[in-house]
Amino acid sequence: AFCSITHANLVDYKKKLIFNNIFSTIERNFGRTIAPLECDVIKSWVDNNISEELIVYATQIAVCNNACSVKYIDRILEDWQRKKITTLEQARKANKKFMNKKESKTDEREKWENG
């Protein structure tokens, strides 16, 4: 009877661990406690099998952009899902592209403003 852990229990346990890791990572990075509604959003990421490393990377992007909100992370993850991004490598490339685009827009604006 000792080894009665079912596959479902194991999956739940794994998801709980991932959730706890993400939860504490976000709290640590945001420097604040997570609201109950935000918990639900984090739980939905785990339930949708979004990898922990992608969520952690999206958290880092949010912090770099001074956007300490779970909603912001959620938008990043949704964008990646739309683009079928599932690995950290793909996410890094997509973010690099995005940053380059953002920088070139700033350059354009500066050229225009400074005539």
Side-chain angles (χ1 to χ4, degrees):
F2 165 116
C3 215
S4 65
I5 272 196
T6 62
H7 179 66
N9 286 354
L10 200 59
V11 169
D12 281 350
Y13 180 69
K14 221 173 138 184
K15 282 186 172 179
K16 223 169 255 158
L17 277 181
I18 293 171
F19 173 83
N20 288 337
N21 285 346
I22 293 163
F23 185 87
S24 53
T25 299
I26 293 175
E27 279 201 335
R28 207 173 42 246
N29 280 290
F30 286 6
R32 64 172 175 83
T33 51
I34 299 292
L37 277 174
E38 293 176 315
C39 280
D40 293 342
V41 177
I42 297 169
K43 194 176 175 315
S44 76
W45 300 335
V46 178
D47 286 340
N48 289 323
N49 296 313
I50 297 171
S51 81
E52 188 177 341
E53 55 181 14
L54 277 185
I55 299 168
V56 170
Y57 184 53
T59 303
Q60 290 166 346
I61 293 171
V63 172
C64 286
N65 289 315
N66 290 319
C68 291
S69 92
V70 168
K71 191 75 205 133
Y72 191 87
I73 298 171
D74 196 42
R75 279 202 292 270
I76 295 171
L77 294 171
E78 274 175 11
D79 182 53
W80 288 344
Q81 276 187 311
R82 256 199 316 277
K83 293 175 179 163
K84 306 266 183 279
I85 290 170
T86 54
T87 68
L88 190 55
E89 186 59 34
Q90 292 168 325
R92 284 207 168 109
K93 274 188 190 145
N95 189 47
K96 208 176 204 167
K97 232 190 237 167
F98 175 74
M99 294 315 282
N100 289 342
K101 222 183 343 198
K102 223 163 109 175
E103 275 167 26
S104 67
K105 267 190 194 149
T106 308
D107 290 348
E108 287 301 308
R109 196 168 54 242
E110 279 169 5
K111 270 186 217 149
W112 183 77
E113 282 171 357
N114 302 328

